[in-house]
Amino acid sequence: NRLNSKACGYLLKQLAGNARLTVLDLSWNGARLFAAKAIADLLKKNNVLEHLHLENNQFDTESATYIGRGLA
């Protein structure tokens, strides 16, 4: 898809309330900090997500910290 960080973030904000989302693949996008914060929010709200694919994005240490907090 090659979505940038804001596009990924806005998409994730819309999906955060989806109680049936079990698989999410955001691989090969330009997700960065904005998207990482949205992923953290999604992970806090969604307790049925089983598979989250984030391969080959542009996450840095700060982004990974947000995602980790969402997983906790």
Side-chain angles (χ1 to χ4, degrees):
N1 293 326
R2 307 289 296 165
L3 300 174
N4 66 21
S5 185
K6 286 191 178 186
C8 287
Y10 292 134
L11 176 66
L12 289 162
K13 287 180 187 237
Q14 296 302 314
L15 294 174
N18 187 329
R20 295 180 175 200
L21 184 67
T22 59
V23 177
L24 180 60
D25 189 346
L26 289 175
S27 301
W28 292 94
N29 286 293
R32 293 181 184 199
L33 183 59
F34 187 81
K37 290 178 180 179
I39 291 168
D41 290 340
L42 178 133
L43 291 171
K44 290 176 185 175
K45 294 176 184 174
N46 184 314
N47 60 359
V48 297
L49 187 66
E50 296 176 6
H51 301 281
L52 178 61
H53 303 278
L54 299 172
E55 295 87 358
N56 296 304
N57 277 285
Q58 298 172 351
F59 293 122
D60 58 8
T61 304
E62 186 178 7
S63 299
T65 301
Y66 276 101
I67 295 170
R69 288 180 186 156
L71 287 169

